[in-house]
Amino acid sequence: MWSEPLTINQVTLPNRLVRSSIGGRMAYYDGTVNGAWSNFEKRFAEGGVGAIISATLTIDERRWSPLEYPKISHDRYIGALRRGVRKVQAMGTKYLIQLGDPGYHTQTSLFSQRTDAASASSGFDLLFGYRNWRHPLSTGEIEQVVANFAQAAVRMREIGCDGVEVTASKGYLIHQFLNPGINRRTDRYGGSHGARFQLLAEIVTAIREAVGPDFLFGVRLSARDYNHVPLNLRLPPTLPLRHWWFGNGIEQTIDYGKRLRELGVDFLHISNGFGFINPRENPGDLPVEEVRMFMDSTAHLTGKAAVRAAALRLPKAVVRPLMNLGWGDKGTLNLDDARRFRQEVGLPVIANGGFQRRPDIERALSSGACDVVSMARPLLANPDLPKLFEQGVEAPARPCTFCSRCTIRTTTFPLGCYDRSRFDSDEQMEAQIISWSATLDPITDEPVTSPGAHS
Ligand SMILES: Cc1cc2nc3c(=O)[nH]c(=O)nc-3n(C[C@H](O)[C@H](O)[C@H](O)COP(=O)(O)O)c2cc1C
Ligand code: SF4
């Protein structure tokens, strides 16, 4: 049953529904979370999820994920994060912080900077990242990355959150090292299946040392890389070509899961695909208009970003079918992979992607495919979903359509649902989006601006 509690490494989740990471422009320019952030997170706790996993908080002071997204790369971020986390915990909901480093998948920056192209190896990627060419990190720089993760973990403990999740998915830096189509190194961080795991192994070991054995610690993994979707131009091709075309398959990542268990990781959070966004992680449609908006907003940064934005200005009849290759599948696409991880690795598994209906969630849990289900877009559309399930409702009256407009629009606009078909009017949609971003007084928890104050 979704409503049954679950204890993992001494942390008891009151139920099996988790709010998956939702990143948005909820920080001041320096990366400190703003007053709207805690209000946003609290909304999901009110809705009844058992735990919330934060947006990816970047552990690198210079690499943004992207601009005005929250950071955890310095002690100055601790205080504001702690205040928000306490508000969520006060409602009985557990709060986990997700740590990540985008590496060359950094999509925006104040100015174009070399560090935003840091990766395992050199190469070109049309779709992800804005720099023209990615470059390999030196051994010294890799040591710094490991230290950054460990320091962020210490801050996280100070914040008082209930657990940590490291993102080794999404095409972010760790994933770039794991992916054999991207990692062409021949030192101890590449050249074989085991060596490509080395960076993640060092990060996990350093974090475990920093937080101790009694701290809840999970890793978000992509079961299969599916390098060939979405449509992308990625150079150079690597040999064997299956590495370039597919990346890791499930056999390889299950082996990584087993190694993570040996290193003391407590749970795995299973999604799919390589890069944010991609059709295996975000089942549904690709919002071409929104992609165009985002590409326009970064076009000034590099030649690649300019070309990309110009290509998206070609007639829609050409762009839309091309961009939608590989997209459109809806439903709980990752569930069978989650099941294999649970069976073969033997760690508790969170399944992610496409869950929204209570019967699907019940089936996933009762069939033993996973221990917990996480959701992002369906909760953004209907934050009270767990409460509705409690009342016996199978699916919300106005479900999330998995259009993914929110996923891209919120890199430049406030977080919220942008599918007009779910609302009676533009005004209604706008009011909901703005209410998500209402700033609360840090002492009284009341809205700083009462409704109608400006009318
Ligand atoms: C607006 C938005 C922001 C997201 N930000 C993050 C993020 O910061 N880190 C992350 O790992 N996933 C992020 N995701 C992905 C979700 O956590 C989730 O994996 C994905 O949306 C698929 O789950 P769903 O079908 O329940 O939405 C984001 C998704 C959305 C819609
Ligand atoms: S914009 Fe709304 S309907 Fe579309 S995916 Fe996001 S939450 Fe769902």
Side-chain angles (χ1 to χ4, degrees), residues 37-38 42 79-93 95 158-162 445:
W37 171 76
S38 57
K42 230 180 82 180
L81 283 164
R82 186 188 286 137
R83 281 193 292 278
V85 168
R86 281 189 182 154
K87 283 182 189 165
V88 168
Q89 290 169 328
M91 307 184 81
T93 308
Y95 199 88
E158 275 180 47
I159 288 164
C161 64
D162 299 286
D445 236 9

Side-chain angles (χ1 to χ4, degrees), residues 12-91:
T12 301
L13 313 186
N15 63 52
R16 310 293 181 103
L17 300 182
V18 164
R19 201 296 309 273
S20 183
S21 301
I22 299 185
R25 296 177 88 111
M26 293 251 166
Y28 297 107
Y29 289 123
D30 74 341
T32 306
V33 286
N34 60 29
W37 171 76
S38 57
N39 183 36
F40 179 76
E41 298 295 62
K42 230 180 82 180
R43 186 69 189 82
F44 299 98
E46 283 163 1
V49 290
I52 293 176
I53 302 176
S54 78
T56 312
L57 303 192
T58 180
I59 51 94
D60 187 284
E61 236 340 51
R62 296 195 61 208
R63 274 192 286 279
W64 296 82
S65 171
L67 279 176
E68 284 180 82
Y69 276 48
K71 294 166 87 174
I72 192 167
S73 44
H74 193 278
D75 288 349
R76 68 172 174 274
Y77 304 122
I78 293 175
L81 283 164
R82 186 188 286 137
R83 281 193 292 278
V85 168
R86 281 189 182 154
K87 283 182 189 165
V88 168
Q89 290 169 328
M91 307 184 81

Side-chain angles (χ1 to χ4, degrees), residues 11 24 71 82 93 129 141 143 165 170 223 262 321 406 446:
V11 175
K71 294 166 87 174
R82 186 188 286 137
T93 308
E141 287 168 327
E143 283 164 10
E165 177 177 280
K170 264 179 103 186
E262 297 306 313
C406 54
E446 293 296 322

Side-chain angles (χ1 to χ4, degrees), residues 323-339:
M323 293 290 290
N324 269 290
L325 284 175
W327 288 84
D329 286 344
K330 290 188 187 164
T332 55
L333 305 184
N334 304 330
L335 191 58
D336 287 339
D337 289 345
R339 184 192 309 276

Side-chain angles (χ1 to χ4, degrees), residues 207-388:
I207 291 181
R208 199 30 115 198
E209 267 173 36
V211 298
D214 59 344
F215 195 75
L216 182 62
F217 181 3
V219 171
R220 179 159 163 156
L221 268 186
S222 187
R224 307 170 200 248
D225 291 335
Y226 294 104
N227 277 2
H228 55 296
V229 283
L231 181 71
N232 194 359
L233 173 63
R234 187 172 288 134
L235 298 170
T238 46
L239 292 174
L241 281 178
R242 70 184 155 79
H243 280 175
W244 179 66
W245 189 247
F246 295 111
N248 278 317
I250 191 151
E251 304 300 337
Q252 288 77 40
T253 48
I254 282 185
D255 176 69
Y256 288 154
K258 290 177 182 166
R259 291 170 191 240
L260 290 170
R261 187 193 59 207
E262 297 306 313
L263 290 172
V265 163
D266 299 313
F267 71 85
L268 298 175
H269 189 173
I270 301 300
S271 64
N272 251 311
F274 185 83
F276 189 70
I277 70 174
N278 82 72
R280 311 307 299 188
E281 182 176 75
N282 289 77
D285 304 314
L286 179 72
V288 177
E289 287 299 323
E290 274 70 16
V291 175
R292 185 182 275 178
M293 281 178 189
F294 179 68
M295 295 301 182
D296 281 348
S297 76
T298 57
H300 59 286
L301 285 170
T302 56
K304 171 176 118 175
V307 167
R308 215 163 46 181
L312 280 164
R313 291 265 150 219
L314 290 169
K316 280 183 192 158
V318 178
V319 173
R320 211 176 277 278
L322 274 179
M323 293 290 290
N324 269 290
L325 284 175
W327 288 84
D329 286 344
K330 290 188 187 164
T332 55
L333 305 184
N334 304 330
L335 191 58
D336 287 339
D337 289 345
R339 184 192 309 276
R340 283 197 59 184
F341 270 88
R342 187 165 185 265
Q343 284 167 353
E344 295 178 40
V345 177
L347 282 176
V349 160
I350 305 179
N352 174 262
F355 290 96
Q356 174 159 237
R357 300 184 68 256
R358 186 166 57 83
D360 296 337
I361 293 170
E362 294 286 14
R363 226 181 346 262
L365 292 167
S366 63
S367 70
C370 58
D371 301 273
V372 175
V373 159
S374 71
M375 290 178 277
R377 294 166 297 171
L379 287 169
L380 199 52
N382 290 290
D384 292 329
L385 209 49
K387 285 205 170 140
L388 293 177

Side-chain angles (χ1 to χ4, degrees), residues 25 69 108 290 293-294 297 408-414 418:
R25 296 177 88 111
Y69 276 48
T108 59
E290 274 70 16
M293 281 178 189
F294 179 68
S297 76
I408 308 219
R409 211 174 257 258
T410 51
T411 53
T412 35
F413 294 102
Y418 286 85

